[in-house]
Amino acid sequence: MKKLLFVLGMFLILCNSAWAEKEIVFATDATWPPMEFVNDQKQVVGYAIDYMTAAGKEAGFKAVFKNTAWDGIFAGLAASKYDAVASSVSITEKRKKAMDFSEPYFTVRQALIVAKDSAAKSLEDLKGQKVGGQIGTTGYFTIKTVDGLEAKSYDEVGLAMEDLNVGRIAAVVCDDPVAANYALDKYKDTLKIAAVMESGEVENYGVAVKKGNKEILDLINKGIAAVKEKGIDKELQEKWIGQ
Amino acid sequence: MSKDDITKIEVGDGAAIPSPDDKGLVSAWWVALIGTVGMLIALPVLKPDPYLTILKFVPDGIVVTFEVTILAIVFAIIIGLLTGLGRLSSNRFINMIASLYVEVVRGIPLLVQLFYIYFALGRIVRVPDIVAAVIAMAFCYGAYMGEVFRAGISSIDHGQTEASLSLGFDKKQTMAYVVLPQAWRTILPPVGNEFIALLKDTSLVSILAVADILRRGREYAAESFNYFETYTIIALIYLLITLLLSKLISAMEYRLSHYERR
């Protein structure tokens, strides 16, 4: 009898794993509110998290999130430590050479954040001063394109904001939803958004997968398309960004 | 203040310097040096992209690393000397302060101290990033250095102090003219090791967005995705610097051990 139960049990376990949905592990640097961040219950939450979970429901995979430091997140992808990176990654030509991207799931511009009493309206106004951004982000690359600025790269955008808050640097450049989260909420008494860079190109967030990983990419694209079709992305935008 | 303390310091800190008598370590040093220099030359020549680009990207980081290291070591030696003397002081108040400082600093990881001085105290006093880095490193290594000084001073035979006092020197003069000049010989080699350790630990200041060697490397890697190549070069640069420094200190130690060798 015992043996029969055991065999039955094993059979159930096997079936279960065979029928279970495919799991896709997303790496995310949860220091980028409101897109992806750790809430006070120590859970990774945010727009991108809800988005990919919804995409999974539509396309039939289970989205699992792994909080990973931004610096090195692409090295981990290349080493197959996870299946995909959903961490507010703007699709750029340079990045496309190193990895494959899903369809865009969000659109941003770069925003310039300065102290409340600053008169600067653009990066050109800040010649000779220190401007910070998160290492390896399009915000930081934007700073580097302007001559005469001292670009400072931080591990996390929050550290750059804190340095701006205490006045060690003159400005921070990052994606506009993140800028809004800091300048209009956390540091609303000391910081403001000086400009959203209209001159710069619109940037699209995509999910990055290892070059050539078509199976995962197709699944994610299927999910993203379904989310857009059902208008779930609009709901999420309202929930997390509010505009 | 017993002899045991002295042995501890020599075991803990003295071992990093290859002793001139240790033939195995000396030849290992040569192998490492030739290998490092060879790779630093061969890689950029054979594969200029990306190795040469990386080599061109990091030099200002090397300057910053040295800047932080040298400034921090100078202050750490001053703090260390004061702490070492304080720990040996018969004045209970001074002794208490010095001991408390050592206990507190040794109990907090350097990374936490860096964050604390930069971000926590940054709310109160606004110090530039390099200054914060130097303060944090000097504060931390001052405590280690204090122990080195204390052990070095304790290693001088008490008979020297007694002789000096009986000749009419007061306590301060005894310390300044008799004990410290002799203790210096014992203290210098471990100070050299602390210098190398500090240089390596300055890689931690890259988290404060100080543009040192490691930060420059990370910036390059983040943009080019050449992680393997970048960190290979970064590791080789650190290795080359510490190899040269350890040889320098080992040579210095050899000259200082003049009396023992006779």
Side-chain angles (χ1 to χ4, degrees):
Chain A
M1 189 63 200
K2 251 186 183 169
K3 208 170 181 182
L4 187 72
L5 269 178
F6 178 74
V7 171
L8 220 86
M10 287 313 280
F11 183 70
L12 274 176
I13 290 169
L14 275 173
C15 288
N16 197 29
S17 60
W19 290 335
E21 302 172 296
K22 185 167 176 53
E23 221 173 61
I24 296 185
V25 181
F26 292 88
T28 187
D29 171 29
T31 61
W32 202 246
M35 306 313 290
E36 52 267 335
F37 59 102
V38 178
N39 69 3
D40 49 10
Q41 267 105 48
K42 295 182 203 164
Q43 292 154 330
V44 178
V45 294
Y47 178 89
I49 309 301
D50 280 1
Y51 198 110
M52 291 310 146
T53 310
K57 246 182 224 147
E58 299 298 326
F61 63 85
K62 187 175 186 297
V64 178
F65 297 93
K66 195 174 171 187
N67 194 356
T68 309
W70 173 258
D71 190 23
I73 205 166
F74 299 123
L77 183 68
S80 299
K81 292 223 166 69
Y82 25 79
D83 303 312
V85 176
S87 190
S88 300
V89 184
S90 297
I91 304 170
T92 66
E93 286 306 313
K94 220 168 178 178
R95 284 176 181 158
K96 267 196 207 158
K97 280 185 198 137
M99 57 200 100
D100 285 342
F101 279 99
S102 71
E103 292 300 313
Y105 68 89
F106 197 73
T107 304
V108 293
R109 285 176 181 282
Q110 292 305 314
L112 179 71
I113 304 155
V114 294
K116 225 164 198 152
D117 52 6
S118 166
K121 283 276 161 235
S122 71
L123 275 176
E124 280 73 19
D125 295 343
L126 294 160
K127 287 267 154 76
Q129 287 174 281
K130 288 178 183 164
V131 182
Q134 185 174 352
I135 186 167
T137 60
T138 43
Y140 181 70
F141 300 150
T142 308
I143 304 168
K144 294 269 273 190
T145 57
V146 180
D147 286 331
L149 292 178
E150 195 182 323
K152 272 179 78 75
S153 66
Y154 292 81
D155 282 20
E156 292 166 16
V157 74
L159 301 181
M161 294 291 178
E162 173 61 22
D163 251 10
L164 176 61
N165 180 42
V166 300
R168 284 200 194 98
I169 54 176
V172 170
V173 179
C174 65
D175 299 348
D176 53 359
V178 180
N181 190 281
Y182 280 98
L184 306 179
D185 185 16
K186 289 196 187 102
Y187 292 112
K188 60 175 181 291
D189 300 327
T190 48
L191 305 183
K192 66 173 181 191
I193 297 178
V196 174
M197 284 165 215
E198 296 295 338
S199 57
E201 287 164 44
V202 169
E203 291 176 12
N204 290 308
Y205 287 170
V207 177
V209 300
K210 193 176 175 179
K211 203 135 190 90
N213 193 349
K214 208 166 166 328
E215 185 201 348
I216 297 280
L217 193 61
D218 288 347
L219 259 179
I220 294 172
N221 274 336
K222 193 176 151 199
I224 291 177
V227 166
K228 280 181 184 164
E229 200 172 307
K230 291 198 173 171
I232 300 173
D233 53 341
K234 299 279 179 318
E235 288 165 33
L236 292 179
Q237 183 142 353
E238 208 153 292
K239 176 180 174 193
W240 292 104
I241 297 147
Q243 321 155 357
Chain B
M1 284 4 80
S2 64
K3 282 258 155 63
D4 298 42
D5 289 8
I6 302 151
T7 337
K8 234 189 274 167
I9 286 293
E10 279 176 354
V11 170
D13 291 287
I17 296 176
S19 151
D21 305 325
D22 190 341
K23 293 287 182 279
L25 266 180
V26 172
S27 56
W29 183 88
W30 276 110
V31 172
L33 182 78
I34 292 166
T36 310
V37 173
M39 278 174 82
L40 273 176
I41 295 170
L43 288 176
V45 169
L46 296 176
K47 214 176 156 206
D49 178 42
Y51 288 109
L52 192 64
T53 332
I54 300 166
L55 265 187
K56 281 185 190 151
F57 196 83
V58 293
D60 56 340
I62 301 177
V63 175
V64 171
T65 292
F66 270 98
E67 221 172 81
V68 173
T69 309
I70 290 170
L71 283 172
I73 200 83
V74 168
F75 287 112
I77 286 174
I78 297 170
I79 298 173
L81 179 60
L82 294 176
T83 312
L85 289 174
R87 294 265 280 157
L88 292 168
S89 168
S90 49
N91 181 324
R92 291 183 82 173
F93 180 68
I94 295 176
N95 198 315
M96 183 68 195
I97 294 206
S99 304
L100 198 63
Y101 162 65
V102 172
E103 282 305 325
V104 169
V105 169
R106 283 205 302 195
I108 303 174
L110 179 54
L111 188 58
V112 177
Q113 288 182 36
L114 279 170
F115 265 114
Y116 193 81
I117 289 183
Y118 194 71
F119 289 110
L121 296 185
R123 285 270 167 116
I124 306 158
V125 266
R126 209 172 86 195
V127 287
D129 50 3
I130 293 205
V131 178
V134 168
I135 292 175
M137 303 297 289
F139 191 70
C140 179
Y141 271 80
Y144 302 155
M145 219 63 107
E147 290 302 277
V148 170
F149 275 87
R150 183 176 70 103
I153 293 167
S154 319
S155 75
I156 301 305
D157 196 285
H158 198 62
Q160 299 277 335
T161 313
E162 282 167 2
S164 161
L165 289 174
S166 68
L167 283 171
F169 286 109
D170 65 20
K171 270 187 171 174
K172 273 182 199 153
Q173 288 170 324
T174 302
M175 187 53 81
Y177 300 126
V178 178
V179 178
L180 272 184
Q182 298 186 75
W184 201 229
R185 265 187 318 129
T186 328
I187 291 168
L188 259 184
V191 165
N193 276 331
E194 293 291 330
F195 183 80
I196 294 177
L198 198 152
L199 187 131
K200 287 187 288 182
D201 277 352
T202 55
S203 58
L204 288 173
V205 307
S206 74
I207 56 143
L208 304 184
V210 172
D212 73 332
I213 303 177
L214 180 60
R215 166 66 50 180
R216 282 284 179 246
R218 291 169 67 182
E219 281 172 0
Y220 182 82
E223 203 170 341
S224 64
F225 310 112
N226 290 323
Y227 294 96
F228 177 82
E229 293 84 349
T230 311
Y231 293 126
T232 304
I233 292 286
I234 299 293
L236 286 173
I237 292 175
Y238 272 116
L239 185 57
L240 180 65
I241 295 171
T242 51
L243 279 173
L244 293 177
L245 280 175
S246 77
K247 194 66 179 174
L248 198 76
I249 290 159
S250 154
M252 188 180 74
E253 187 190 27
Y254 187 70
R255 294 193 62 166
L256 285 170
S257 63
H258 178 72
Y259 295 102
E260 283 98 66
R261 276 186 289 118
R262 261 201 311 203

